[in-house]
Amino acid sequence: MDLDNLAIGLICGVAVMARGAMLIPDWSLMPSSPSQFSSLNRWLRQFASLPEPAEFDYPFARSDIAMLEQVEAGPVQLDEQTWDEMLLDDYHMQLADQTSILGQQRLHQRLASGMASAASRARITALLAAPAQQAALEQAMRPLRTADMEVAALLCGAPPSAPPWWSRWLLLPTLVLLVALLAAWLVAPLAWAVVVPVWLFLMALQMRFYDRCKPWARSVFTLQQILLVHGRLGALDSPFTAQLREGVRAAGVINRQITPLGWIKMIPLLSEYDDWLMLGNIRRYFHSLRVVRRERAFLRQSFRLLADLEADVALARHVRGRPQFCWVQEADARQLSLDAMVHPLLGGAMPLSLRLDGRGAFISGQNAIGKSTLLRGVGLNLISARAFGFCYAQAAHVPMLPLYSSMQNEDSLDGGESLYIAELRRARELLALAESGEPALFLIDEIFRGTNHLESVAAAAAVLHSLAARHLVIVSSHNLVLGPLLEDCLAPWCVRRDDAGALQLAPGVLQATNGIALLAQRGFDAGIADKAGRVFDWLSTHMAQPADCGGVLERA
């Protein structure tokens, strides 16, 4: 039985015996249902100043999860638009299931910075081969999931300010107050002239630091769990915890130094009096702050070791049993090969294969067949390859390049920006990144759909040709004329269904479109479909499949 439950039991006994000192308690007053017992439990905890039991997996804000990457300011390989378009928040949530804030922050940092390492790959491989040891690690790290405050900024960012010199003497005004109260009560009523200003001084200090003590107590709780888990893992006879063994003793010492006295909180209302009359919370705040400042290097190392280990455990749990999983092999900047690739966020996704050698890809296909999903699948696999070293495919040879996308440009009423202006702004950003000289990979979906067809094709051809001259570009579009226009730098690929209805990615440009056929399927009458068909036939003779356009951009 832990101390909290023991205290509640003692209080229950005292409460029952207090009913007129009866020898036989009135059992009708005892809780008779789980909800009543829960209410009594909660009331007793409040009466005894006991904290509520810690809950698992506190829902952290995105800014908290990104804090480690922000404070360490590593090389970011994904801008915000690419992050959103690749659905990386959803992907991160899937990876970080049953993971504390430490592991969540490390996974986010790897995704943003592309920090796959040989050591992480070796550990994940070993964890996949040892499920029993992985289960033991997960059990030992379970207390980390009760943390409800991130501490990356505290440990890895700027150090906290030093406590003021007078913080070591906070018991002195309390002693003066007690002496003055005793004197006023026994011998010297004039001592009230001392009691009142000292009491006001204590109240002023409490109001000055109260808002600072509350979040700090949550940070200290997180540090306590880190030190507790450090000790638990270091005590395990496991090759995965060898780096933690040396600091087991130090972790225990520091944990005891920053842990407040537990017996104070077990006595009814004593903790509140301790805070308001003896400045207990402020004294604990300054004391633990001094300990954290003194031991910050050890705490930071412990934080990083646990975050790395928990991230690798989460990744091993994520990929275990996946049929589409492989370790990647690095390819040249202009080569890419993904065999039987799937999108990890789509259950039951059909595998597709894509191979590029020297040129990027122009992808066409009928409406709603999955071109955008294919681009996101490729992008997410490339990000996973850079961040973790694996892909969701049977085999993968990919370049370890920064990735940038343009897939969901939208107009903005607040910013006074039309769709086409938003597309132009993003295209200019991509061109600026391309001109920086660093090799990169660009994913673009339906470029310049915000203007008329002729200008859309013209602007798209110019921008894509410039990007693809020096970088690997994968683009999808319904403007099929871009296929032959850009064939010198983008290999044409078409997403289609085979006779069995399965998706496949084959060389070439889409031949049979379905935009007109969808009119009838969506309830338009035959007259509308007939008129649309006649206009389409007329336009097709002029633009859809031109006889000679391969050299237009070169001549320009």
Side-chain angles (χ1 to χ4, degrees), residues 122-123 126-141 229-246 248 309 313:
R123 183 153 59 185
L127 286 168
L128 291 173
Q133 292 195 45
Q134 179 176 337
L137 294 176
E138 291 176 347
Q139 182 63 31
M141 290 189 293
V229 171
H230 188 137
R232 285 187 175 186
L233 291 173
L236 293 179
D237 184 16
S238 170
F240 300 108
T241 61
Q243 292 179 294
L244 295 163
R245 289 176 194 148
E246 184 178 348
V248 169
L309 177 59
V313 167

Side-chain angles (χ1 to χ4, degrees), residues 82-374:
T82 303
W83 182 281
D84 292 338
E85 291 176 345
M86 295 297 107
L87 307 178
L88 289 185
D89 281 334
D90 293 337
Y91 181 54
H92 176 271
M93 186 181 301
Q94 185 184 91
L95 294 176
D97 182 43
Q98 303 178 46
T99 304
S100 78
I101 182 60
L102 278 70
Q104 293 181 45
Q105 288 178 325
R106 191 64 170 129
L107 290 170
H108 184 282
Q109 186 184 39
R110 292 184 188 179
L111 281 172
S113 304
M115 300 174 60
S117 66
S120 175
R121 174 171 175 169
R123 183 153 59 185
I124 294 172
T125 302
L127 286 168
L128 291 173
Q133 292 195 45
Q134 179 176 337
L137 294 176
E138 291 176 347
Q139 182 63 31
M141 290 189 293
R142 190 174 173 84
L144 290 176
R145 294 168 54 193
T146 64
D148 62 355
M149 177 68 78
E150 77 84 22
V151 293
L154 173 65
L155 300 180
C156 303
S161 301
W165 64 270
W166 48 260
S167 62
R168 295 180 181 273
W169 302 93
L170 286 175
L171 270 179
L172 184 59
T174 299
L175 294 177
V176 171
L177 176 66
L178 294 177
V179 171
L181 282 171
L182 186 62
W185 182 41
L186 295 178
V187 294
L190 291 178
W192 285 105
V194 177
V195 170
V196 172
V198 173
W199 179 76
L200 291 176
F201 174 72
L202 293 176
M203 295 302 100
L205 275 179
Q206 188 64 241
M207 290 185 288
R208 172 69 176 82
F209 290 100
Y210 183 81
D211 289 339
R212 199 181 300 181
C213 292
K214 281 294 184 179
W216 177 259
R218 294 169 60 197
S219 296
V220 169
F221 178 75
T222 299
L223 296 177
Q224 290 171 327
Q225 305 315 303
I226 290 174
L227 294 168
L228 171 65
V229 171
H230 188 137
R232 285 187 175 186
L233 291 173
L236 293 179
D237 184 16
S238 170
F240 300 108
T241 61
Q243 292 179 294
L244 295 163
R245 289 176 194 148
E246 184 178 348
V248 169
R249 184 176 179 277
V253 171
I254 298 171
N255 202 355
R256 288 190 293 273
Q257 290 175 347
I258 65 174
T259 300
L261 294 176
W263 63 269
I264 292 178
K265 292 185 175 297
M266 294 182 61
I267 302 177
L269 303 180
L270 181 59
S271 63
E272 280 76 8
Y273 288 113
D274 178 52
D275 290 347
W276 286 98
L277 294 180
M278 302 183 68
L279 303 178
N281 56 337
I282 301 176
R283 288 187 288 110
R284 290 191 296 270
Y285 164 64
F286 284 123
H287 170 72
S288 57
L289 178 58
R290 283 189 287 269
V291 175
V292 170
R293 281 176 52 85
R294 184 180 69 243
E295 305 294 346
R296 191 164 176 263
F298 179 87
L299 292 169
R300 180 169 55 247
Q301 180 186 26
S302 179
F303 171 90
R304 288 174 174 165
L305 289 173
L306 294 183
D308 273 326
L309 177 59
E310 191 178 25
D312 289 340
V313 167
L315 292 173
R317 182 170 59 243
H318 170 73
V319 302
R320 187 181 301 278
R322 282 183 176 266
Q324 257 72 28
F325 165 78
C326 69
W327 294 107
V328 302
Q329 298 184 28
E330 186 171 358
D332 294 336
R334 308 284 295 193
Q335 294 182 332
L336 183 148
S337 174
L338 292 167
D339 297 334
M341 172 209 71
V342 297
H343 195 302
L345 295 179
L346 296 179
M350 294 185 180
L352 291 172
S353 299
L354 175 65
R355 291 181 177 84
L356 303 178
D357 188 4
R359 292 184 294 170
F362 174 81
I363 298 175
S364 58
Q366 293 184 338
N367 292 282
I369 202 167
K371 299 184 297 299
S372 300
T373 301
L374 170 63

